[in-house]
């Protein structure tokens, strides 16, 4: 505006939620933006303090870590409380085993690569929101990553097992 350069003043402005501190502050951040995009690769890495590319510790990098799932839920709730939407990007968004969980947590958008899009769309069309919500509630009570992964994988197999092959 100050330089008289034309632009769309209504363009949405968002914030990446990639570190635990941003998720914890999501309620405040939501008042300043139009959307959240949860960058799961970094959020997982910084939450569990594990470098995903370091072969000595990468086995500890778990997208289904209960702390990660709770931070995602906290972020989504803050967004909804403030009338904004939440997207998820990163490998977690493309993992068909986790699609029901992300939907159940209230995520509005999954950002995936072009090659994954048809499978993700088909998977989402196979899901019941209420069942996904119930699954997320159950996952939020779990204490271990393995239990959450087992729940989500079973649900995904029941809804669209042919896509997981």
């Amino acid at each position: 505006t100050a330089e008289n350069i034309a632009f769309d003043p209504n363009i949405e402005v968002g914030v990446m939620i990639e570190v635990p501190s941003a998720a914890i502050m999501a309620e405040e951040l939501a008042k300043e933006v139009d959307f959240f995009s949860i960058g799961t690769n970094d959020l997982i890495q910084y939450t569990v303090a594990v470098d995903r590319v370091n072969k000595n510790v990468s086995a500890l990098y778990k997208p289904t870590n209960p702390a990660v799932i709770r931070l995602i839920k906290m972020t989504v709730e803050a967004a909804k409380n403030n009338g904004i939407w939440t997207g998820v990007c990163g490998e977690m968004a493309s993992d068909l085993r986790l699609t029901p969980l992300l939907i159940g947590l209230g995520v509005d958008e999954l950002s995936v690569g072009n090659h994954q899009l048809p499978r993700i769309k088909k998977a989402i069309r196979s899901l019941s929101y209420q069942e996904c919500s119930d699954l997320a509630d159950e996952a939020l009570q779990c204490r271990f990553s393995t239990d959450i992964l087992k729940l989500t994988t079973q649900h995904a197999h029941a809804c669209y097992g042919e896509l997981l092959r």
Side-chain angles (χ1 to χ4, degrees), residues 97-131:
R97 299 170 304 168
L98 302 179
T99 302
L101 176 60
L102 293 171
I103 299 298
L105 290 171
V107 168
D108 299 298
E109 178 181 282
L110 299 175
S111 178
V112 300
N114 290 341
H115 65 284
Q116 276 293 95
L117 193 56
R119 293 175 69 213
I120 294 290
K121 280 177 69 173
K122 188 171 182 177
I124 290 171
R125 289 179 177 150
S126 303
L127 297 171
S128 150
Y129 181 75
Q130 185 58 55
E131 288 177 11

Side-chain angles (χ1 to χ4, degrees), residues 85-104:
W85 60 272
T86 304
V88 167
C89 60
E91 292 175 25
M92 198 171 177
S94 296
D95 189 333
L96 285 168
R97 299 170 304 168
L98 302 179
T99 302
L101 176 60
L102 293 171
I103 299 298

